[in-house]
């Protein structure tokens, strides 16, 4: 049976229907493109308003960030820093006040502290002294962080307060300026006093050279023990970021109660992922103390593990991150130091004995300090004491980040989805088909990126760094190479 030829009219009609469908699809695609463009522009405007602080909204807006740093962004433009200290302007200092005029607690309006306020001295712990070791150059954040201006002096979230200022704000509710001490190198003393005018000069202990955390904390313990033999001290790094002030202060208060029972107490951070960049604390049995219901013995301290080991730690549920926070009696820490590191103990005691006599102090420092052992507090006393059941841990729930590299810093900065984070003036960064990463436009010139993902670009007036987030932990290798190549003036 032969087929009859198709009617030309039917073919023409079918062709017209196909063309109409194609045209309709083209119109719909054009509408979608236009809608996407409008949404992209609206999102960019919204992001700019949030970044500039001109977006009026309630505190229900939550920043992008890691589980350890999910804090609302202040809605008022008056609560935003106009300039970033690592560009061309320094952090504005607070007006100097006499001790009589200083309140017990003056929360920063620019940090997390403004969101959780504490009235009067209700959080003050009698006999508790805060020690803030402010050392290290933050080489993984080079060239943003330098030896002369390390990361604890920087405002890394553009809130108008540096990391050391935020640490001060966070801890003052538990102490007072009179009971808050800082241990720092000579090159940072002036900057610290500028940023913290409330800090008493005799509470800033200047170390002649970096000797790691044991010498710094041990020196503070020896000096505080002379002033108050019953003192309980708490050591907290100057360059860490914490969210959840109420949970933080509660954990410290609980740690103080445990420390009074002659324990070296650390605060364990609940791990949010199997990090290979942090040390771990293995939890032991509960101490069953009425004033410290969460406290446990520490079975062991673990060094930074590989990914597989870190995952196995988290799977057990008995490990916490070691944030390097220690609370103890000053005299008990010195007792441990005398047992485990007697030479270091003797040196610090010699220095403390003459500290109030400036001339004698300098002579003893010149003679003793350079010979002191350079060792972290974990290795010096925490690990051997834990083996003897003398170390406790308070598991905590607050968010914590040590801002150890540009990758972790990127997680703390808000950005439009799949766009790079910008630390500085967003108008100096243009991107097209770029996802992730972090850009620091510190030189004032335009940075344009096309088709590159997860880059780290730090453009300073004297140095340009380009790497990837995945390799940001290795930046310190470049710092070493710069020194070897004769570029020490850039470090």
């Amino acid at each position: 049976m032969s087929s009859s030829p198709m009617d030309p009219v039917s073919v023409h009609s079918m062709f017209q229907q196909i063309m109409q469908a194609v045209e309709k699809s083209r119109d719909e695609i054009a509408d979608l493109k236009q809608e996407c463009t409008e949404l992209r522009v609206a999102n960019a405007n919204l992001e700019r308003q949030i970044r500039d602080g001109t977006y009026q909204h309630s505190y229900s807006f939550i920043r992008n960030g890691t589980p350890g740093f999910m804090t609302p962004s202040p809605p008022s433009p008056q609560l935003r820093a106009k300039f970033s200290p690592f560009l061309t302007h320094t952090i504005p200092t607070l007006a100097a006040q006499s001790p009589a005029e200083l309140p017990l607690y003056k929360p920063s309006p620019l940090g997390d502290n403004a969101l959780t306020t504490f009235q009067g001295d209700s959080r003050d712990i009698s006999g508790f002294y805060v020690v803030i070791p402010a050392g290290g150059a933050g080489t993984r954040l080079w060239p943003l962080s330098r030896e002369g201006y390390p990361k604890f002096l920087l405002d890394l979230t553009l809130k108008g307060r540096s990391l050391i200022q935020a640490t001060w704000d966070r801890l003052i509710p538990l102490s007072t300026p009179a009971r808050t001490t800082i241990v720092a190198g000579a090159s940072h003393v002036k900057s610290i006093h500028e940023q913290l005018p409330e800090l008493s000069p005799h509470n800033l202990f200047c170390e002649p050279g970096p000797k790691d955390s044991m010498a710094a904390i041990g020196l503070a313990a020896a000096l505080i023990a002379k002033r108050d033999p019953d003192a309980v001290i708490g050591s907290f790094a100057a360059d860490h970021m914490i969210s959840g002030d109420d949970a933080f202060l509660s954990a410290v208060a609980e740690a103080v109660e445990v420390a009074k029972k002659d324990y070296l107490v650390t605060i364990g951070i609940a791990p949010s992922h199997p990090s290979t960049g942090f040390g771990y604390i293995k939890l032991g049995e509960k101490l069953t103390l009425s004033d410290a219901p969460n406290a446990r013995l520490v079975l062991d301290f673990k060094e930074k593990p590989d990914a597989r080991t870190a995952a196995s730690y988290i799977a057990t549920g008995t490990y916490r991150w070691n944030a390097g926070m220690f609370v103890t009696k000053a005299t008990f820490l010195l007792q441990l130091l005398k047992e485990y590191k007697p030479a270091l103990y003797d040196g610090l005691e010699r220095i403390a004995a003459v500290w109030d006599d400036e001339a004698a102090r300098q002579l003893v420092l010149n003679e003793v300090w350079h010979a002191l052992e350079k060792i972290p507090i974990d290795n010096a006393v925490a690990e051997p004491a834990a083996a003897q059941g003398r170390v406790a841990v308070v598991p905590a729930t607050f968010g914590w980040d040590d801002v150890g590299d540009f990758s972790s810093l990127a997680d703390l900065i808000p950005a439009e989805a799949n766009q790079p984070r910008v630390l500085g003036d967003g108008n100096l960064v243009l991107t097209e088909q770029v996802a992730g990463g972090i850009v620091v436009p510190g030189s004032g010139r335009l940075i344009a990126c096309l088709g590159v993902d997860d880059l780290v670009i730090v453009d300073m007036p004297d140095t340009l760094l380009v790497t990837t987030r995945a390799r940001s932990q290795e930046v310190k290798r470049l710092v070493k190479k710069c020194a070897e190549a004769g570029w020490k003036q850039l470090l």
Side-chain angles (χ1 to χ4, degrees), residues 7 11 20 41 67 160 205 211 213 226 266 308 319 356 359 385 428 452 456 481 488 490:
D7 187 351
V11 173
Q20 288 173 357
V41 172
F205 306 144
K211 283 290 182 179
S213 60
K226 281 188 60 184
T266 186
R308 183 186 296 273
Y319 285 85
D356 293 332
L428 294 175
V452 288
V456 173
K481 279 204 165 187
K488 292 184 179 180
L490 300 179

Side-chain angles (χ1 to χ4, degrees), residues 279-295:
Y280 286 75
I281 301 166
K282 187 174 183 180
L283 307 182
E285 63 184 23
K286 284 195 172 185
L287 289 177
T288 63
L289 300 176
S290 59
D291 295 330
N294 301 303

Side-chain angles (χ1 to χ4, degrees), residues 99-107 118-124 168-169 171-180 198:
E101 297 173 324
L102 290 173
L104 284 175
Y105 172 47
K106 183 178 181 181
F118 306 99
Q119 301 300 320
D121 61 355
S122 61
R123 287 279 178 164
D124 183 88
W168 173 279
D169 296 341
L171 289 162
I172 283 297
L174 301 178
S175 183
T176 65
R179 300 202 313 270
T180 302
E198 305 97 329

Side-chain angles (χ1 to χ4, degrees), residues 256-274:
V256 170
E257 294 303 318
V258 181
K260 291 177 180 177
K261 307 294 192 296
D262 286 337
Y263 284 98
L264 176 63
V265 189
T266 186
I267 297 176
I269 310 299
S272 60
H273 62 282

Side-chain angles (χ1 to χ4, degrees), residues 193-243:
H193 275 308
E194 288 176 349
Q195 292 196 13
L196 298 173
E198 305 97 329
L199 175 67
S200 172
H202 81 284
N203 281 348
L204 201 163
F205 306 144
C206 180
E207 53 180 353
K211 283 290 182 179
D212 221 317
S213 60
M214 187 66 260
I217 299 170
L219 175 62
L223 295 175
I224 293 171
K226 281 188 60 184
R227 299 176 183 179
D228 182 355
D230 298 321
V232 174
I233 63 172
S235 173
F236 306 91
D239 55 4
H240 292 178
M241 301 184 73
I242 287 173
S243 63

